[in-house]
Amino acid sequence: MMISTPENQIADPSPEEDVVLSVEGVSKKFCRSLKRSLFYGVQDIASELLGLRQQNNTLRTREFWALKDVSLKLRRGEALGLVGANGSGKTTLLRIISGLIRPDTGSVRIRGRVAPLIALGAGFNPILTGRENIFANMSILGLSTKEIKARFDSVVEFAEIGDAIDSPVHSYSSGMAARLGFACAIHTNPEILLIDEVLAVGDIQFLAKCHRRLHELREQGIAFVLVSHNPQAILSMCQQSLYLQKGNVVAYSDTETIMNQYEEDLFLGAAQKVSGLLRMPDKPASESLGLDITSLCFKDTNNQILEELISGETVQLCIGFTSHKLLDDVNVRISIIKEGQTVLYFGGSNDKLTFYIPPGHHEVKVLLPNFGLSPGVYIMRVDIRNSALFILDIVEAFRFVVRTNGRMSKCLFCQPRSWELATYGKTAKEDVNASP
């Protein structure tokens, strides 16, 4: 696969015969004003009817670029992930590829049938029955009546809507309509599937069924473009990904690299890069409760500060603090959070461990063998307490990054492990060579 941008041209060693989708320099602009948008639309239609309309890469008043100079190529059996925050242009790109809207500049070339899995069920007529909508929907996707009849039973079986097939679609739940829309799309035998967040719809069993079916289709040489805010869905299905930001291509690389960069930008922000060591400002005596946290960092086994952590490696969490008086029954509590969810919690209350702290400067070190968090950006909350309730000091948000060593990426935890082959009885080679 090749995706090129003006800043980064990537070599393309694969034969052109395998290319099913080619997007070259595609840009699309929209207008923020409804009145001006309608006026510009009339202008553009008139220019096109008169044969005067040309590709225009300049913005008119109140217009903005939803996409700017996006290029990519997709080959049979490949899956490309599209990642980016809301409003980055992902859905606009899918709509241009599917032919729903036209680009202002650039071109899209497609070889074969495209099945857009965008807003499943949104195109169904609520008055018509499920049966009638299958024929209408699949005919729009390019199938003849004979082809639809041949695949009708498979569509109904996959959708799992049973006798409801002859009921009006307005009586369906949103999940039933989504299942029927997905079933229609995948049974058109497309060369390209455009998937926009539809894998977040439906119950667990149906989602598993969808994933199995998509895996089968990819093995048959069908190409995917997948938009999802679920990192695991992108990592499990796509080897390559494209990162869009405000309509521009930020990066194109292997999915693991792209997801790491996207999460860092999303949770750390462009101006907040992790240095590895957090130093707390000195606290006035009037604000101190007798103990002040002074620093937070991770260190390796040689006591060197780590700017980033590697899944599966041994690290030390080091908490520096100053005690202004003698304290007893002191314990530390630590919460590690990702995307709003607490993924790890431990503290002295769990381990039945408290400290006797004399006045002076101290450091608590927590040894974490085989630190098992998956790659990504995390926030750590640390507090030091006197007894179970009285908080002496707290750090609400210490951000850190975990990288992969290549041994994990598609799971939430890195399990320490070793491998062993145990052989019992005759080996295969001995069986082959054995005389009858």
Side-chain angles (χ1 to χ4, degrees):
M1 176 187 294
M2 176 194 71
I3 294 180
S4 58
T5 67
E7 297 81 13
N8 183 24
Q9 298 290 333
I10 301 174
D12 184 10
S14 303
E16 287 296 318
E17 299 81 45
D18 289 337
V19 175
V20 293
L21 170 65
S22 177
V23 176
E24 298 180 0
V26 162
S27 299
K28 181 63 182 178
K29 55 189 174 182
F30 293 116
C31 184
R32 300 187 191 278
S33 167
L34 178 60
K35 288 184 178 180
R36 284 186 177 274
S37 179
L38 294 173
F39 175 68
Y40 293 152
V42 171
Q43 275 189 330
D44 293 341
I45 292 172
S47 298
E48 190 159 336
L49 290 175
L50 295 173
L52 302 176
R53 188 180 180 188
Q54 298 178 347
Q55 291 194 349
N56 189 353
N57 58 4
T58 60
L59 294 176
R60 295 170 288 193
T61 304
R62 300 295 301 278
E63 285 188 328
F64 67 97
W65 290 113
L67 283 177
K68 184 65 174 174
D69 293 329
V70 176
S71 299
L72 63 90
K73 285 187 179 180
L74 189 66
R75 291 181 170 78
R76 299 185 190 280
E78 292 183 335
L80 172 70
L82 288 182
V83 301
N86 291 330
S88 61
K90 305 184 298 298
T91 301
T92 299
L93 179 57
L94 290 192
R95 287 175 175 170
I96 288 174
I97 294 172
S98 65
L100 295 175
I101 57 177
R102 293 182 57 182
D104 288 301
T105 65
S107 62
V108 176
R109 293 195 298 273
I110 296 170
R111 179 179 296 174
R113 179 181 290 126
V114 176
L117 276 65
I118 305 172
L120 289 179
F124 288 157
N125 187 322
I127 300 176
L128 300 180
T129 66
R131 181 185 302 274
E132 292 165 334
N133 271 292
I134 289 175
F135 279 87
N137 187 271
M138 296 183 75
S139 63
I140 291 172
L141 293 175
L143 270 68
S144 65
T145 301
K146 182 179 179 182
E147 290 174 318
I148 297 172
K149 287 180 177 179
R151 302 171 197 186
F152 181 85
D153 290 340
S154 297
V155 172
V156 176
E157 180 182 358
F158 191 94
E160 300 176 0
I161 59 174
D163 294 337
I165 190 65
D166 289 312
S167 300
V169 166
H170 69 71
S171 66
Y172 290 8
S173 67
S174 58
M176 292 172 65
R179 293 202 300 270
L180 187 59
F182 188 94
C184 288
I186 63 173
H187 282 87
T188 58
N189 290 353
E191 278 68 36
I192 306 168
L193 273 173
L194 306 179
I195 309 171
D196 187 5
E197 289 291 356
V198 299
L199 297 181
V201 177
D203 55 46
I204 301 250
Q205 287 186 334
F206 185 72
L207 289 178
K209 186 177 182 179
C210 291
H211 279 282
R212 288 195 299 270
R213 180 60 174 162
L214 290 175
H215 176 74
E216 293 170 2
L217 292 174
R218 187 175 176 187
E219 297 239 320
Q220 296 168 14
I222 293 173
F224 298 159
V225 180
L226 173 63
V227 172
S228 177
H229 288 287
N230 181 353
Q232 297 306 315
I234 298 285
L235 285 164
S236 63
M237 293 185 63
C238 307
Q239 290 181 318
Q240 306 289 325
S241 289
L242 183 70
Y243 177 12
L244 289 172
Q245 191 175 81
K246 295 182 179 179
N248 296 294
V249 176
V250 176
Y252 160 73
S253 184
D254 63 280
T255 296
E256 204 165 282
T257 300
I258 291 296
M259 292 311 299
N260 285 338
Q261 182 176 350
Y262 172 55
E263 287 193 344
E264 285 184 32
D265 291 345
L266 187 62
F267 294 106
L268 292 180
Q272 301 180 49
K273 296 303 178 184
V274 176
S275 64
L277 174 65
L278 174 65
R279 292 193 182 278
M280 305 300 294
D282 293 336
K283 188 177 294 185
S286 59
E287 297 179 10
S288 176
L289 298 176
L291 183 147
D292 304 325
I293 297 174
T294 57
S295 65
L296 277 177
C297 68
F298 286 98
K299 295 181 181 179
D300 61 18
T301 52
N302 296 319
N303 287 316
Q304 299 297 310
I305 294 175
L306 298 170
E307 292 191 4
E308 297 174 343
L309 309 186
I310 305 297
S311 295
E313 293 194 355
T314 298
V315 299
Q316 301 177 86
L317 170 59
C318 300
I319 306 165
F321 59 91
T322 298
S323 178
H324 302 291
K325 60 183 179 180
L326 179 65
L327 294 167
D328 197 6
D329 195 23
V330 173
N331 69 83
V332 182
R333 298 190 182 190
I334 297 150
S335 299
I336 295 178
I337 301 159
K338 184 178 184 183
E339 299 179 15
Q341 298 293 319
T342 299
V343 297
L344 188 60
Y345 172 84
F346 51 91
S349 56
N350 300 98
D351 299 339
K352 304 295 189 284
L353 176 68
T354 60
F355 297 101
Y356 175 86
I357 307 292
H361 300 289
H362 308 276
E363 186 177 61
V364 169
K365 293 186 176 182
V366 187
L367 183 65
L368 303 171
N370 304 111
F371 191 69
L373 295 182
S374 64
V377 179
Y378 295 84
I379 295 174
M380 183 167 61
R381 180 185 186 275
V382 177
D383 69 64
I384 301 180
R385 302 183 179 220
N386 190 198
S387 73
L389 299 177
F390 189 78
I391 297 178
L392 295 163
D393 202 5
I394 186 170
V395 175
E396 289 285 359
F398 171 56
R399 293 173 173 85
F400 64 93
V401 175
V402 179
R403 301 288 190 191
T404 179
N405 59 2
R407 300 178 65 195
M408 73 162 299
S409 61
K410 300 176 183 177
C411 55
L412 299 178
F413 178 77
C414 180
Q415 172 62 52
R417 57 196 180 270
S418 62
W419 298 74
E420 178 184 352
L421 172 65
T423 304
Y424 305 99
K426 292 182 179 181
T427 65
K429 184 176 181 180
E430 289 172 339
D431 288 339
V432 170
N433 296 329
S435 58

